[in-house]
Amino acid sequence: MSAPARTKPVVYSRGSFLSRLTPDQIRELFAVGHPATYPADHTIVRQGRNLPPLLLLRSGFIKAVRRALRGSHPAIVDVYGPGDVLGAEAMYANKFAHVDFVTTQDVTAYVVPQHQFLEHLGRHPAVSLQLMVTFAHRVRQREAALAYSRHDVRERLVAFLNRQQVFYGVMTTQGDLIDMGLNRGDIGAAIGASDAAVDEALRRLREDGYIKTGYKKIWIIRRLSEELSPQLRPEPPAIGALD
């Protein structure tokens, strides 16, 4: 008789909300909600149409997509991975969703209604504090990303990939793997560049020996942060309650 297969442990991304909680805190939080799965390329929440629940990601990735005007090209304003929480801004503002939440891979998550999540935070101030710490770091990251907006496509791409490597990169024998289900159109929507400009910047990074590419995958084989000036290098994620 063969041995039973071992359950693969869940690994939360660095600096994410769930990575800051203890196993007991995570179990208690999951008990308030219910598990859910979503296929790739599925829109979970639509901008302005839903009062979104809280989503606690366990696996897979979700892109936050926003349109400035009706019919305008969408921009990817953020990407969320294992351990991240989605929908908290709408909960605190008591507003409808300000972005679309679209899966880029198959996703597993826990769904918690807003009022139940707020009640849970009221009963567990330590968890509430960790959510605020996570918010603070995410706001700092978004502000730092604005520093690249006036630079060329290569620098914007390097800054974007460097951030994804820091938070979501997985070490492999070929280099740090970024496997988030993003295609070149997604990358262009995240950095404000055309598909052709993204292709050219990726080609140059490949030829210079920084990356390898596959279908919706990128391996970082040399430190991308070396490409950025010291003033533009993103700060590493802080781990812990108040670091």
Side-chain angles (χ1 to χ4, degrees):
M1 181 181 295
S2 60
R6 293 183 179 180
T7 302
K8 187 177 180 180
V10 176
V11 179
Y12 298 125
S13 54
R14 295 185 66 194
S16 66
F17 174 52
L18 294 182
S19 75
R20 299 176 184 276
L21 302 183
T22 67
D24 285 343
Q25 288 172 329
I26 293 174
R27 280 192 293 269
E28 291 169 354
L29 187 54
F30 285 171
V32 180
H34 62 273
T37 60
Y38 304 97
D41 300 317
H42 175 75
T43 300
I44 302 173
V45 171
R46 293 193 179 277
Q47 178 180 333
R49 298 185 187 177
N50 306 78
L51 190 63
L54 273 291
L55 292 174
L56 302 165
L57 267 65
R58 299 189 76 243
S59 66
F61 288 87
I62 292 175
K63 58 187 177 182
V65 181
R66 183 175 176 87
R67 291 171 176 80
L69 300 171
R70 187 187 300 272
S72 64
H73 290 292
I76 294 178
V77 297
D78 217 335
V79 182
Y80 298 88
D84 288 331
V85 57
L86 293 78
E89 295 95 336
M91 176 189 71
Y92 280 119
N94 194 27
K95 300 289 186 180
F96 291 111
H98 65 293
V99 293
D100 291 349
F101 289 149
V102 183
T103 60
T104 63
Q105 297 176 336
D106 292 348
V107 161
T108 63
Y110 271 78
V111 180
V112 185
Q114 286 190 5
H115 70 279
Q116 291 180 244
F117 192 82
L118 281 171
E119 290 174 356
H120 184 82
L121 293 180
R123 295 191 302 269
H124 299 86
V127 175
S128 180
L129 173 61
Q130 294 303 332
L131 180 59
M132 294 301 101
V133 171
T134 305
F135 269 165
H137 285 289
R138 200 134 195 133
V139 168
R140 288 171 64 88
Q141 295 152 20
R142 288 173 181 170
E143 290 174 345
L146 293 175
Y148 310 116
S149 61
R150 298 181 66 84
H151 291 262
D152 63 25
V153 172
R154 180 180 172 118
E155 281 197 313
R156 298 203 303 272
L157 175 61
V158 166
F160 175 78
L161 294 178
N162 189 75
R163 180 183 173 191
Q164 310 316 316
Q165 179 188 13
V166 168
F167 289 97
Y168 304 117
V170 177
M171 187 180 299
T172 74
T173 56
Q174 299 184 64
D176 284 355
L177 171 63
I178 300 175
D179 182 10
M180 303 170 65
L182 300 176
N183 58 33
R184 67 178 181 179
D186 290 327
I187 295 174
I191 68 173
S194 67
D195 288 2
V198 171
D199 277 344
E200 173 63 15
L202 288 171
R203 181 188 65 80
R204 289 169 56 199
L205 288 174
R206 281 196 304 268
E207 291 178 351
D208 291 344
Y210 283 98
I211 66 172
K212 293 180 181 178
T213 57
Y215 179 67
K216 295 185 177 181
K217 297 179 182 179
I218 297 175
W219 288 265
I220 310 298
I221 55 181
R222 284 177 58 191
R223 287 185 58 188
L224 284 171
S225 59
E226 295 172 358
E227 281 276 283
L228 303 176
S229 63
Q231 295 86 352
L232 295 180
R233 290 175 189 167
E235 48 188 299
I239 307 297
L242 294 172
D243 48 9

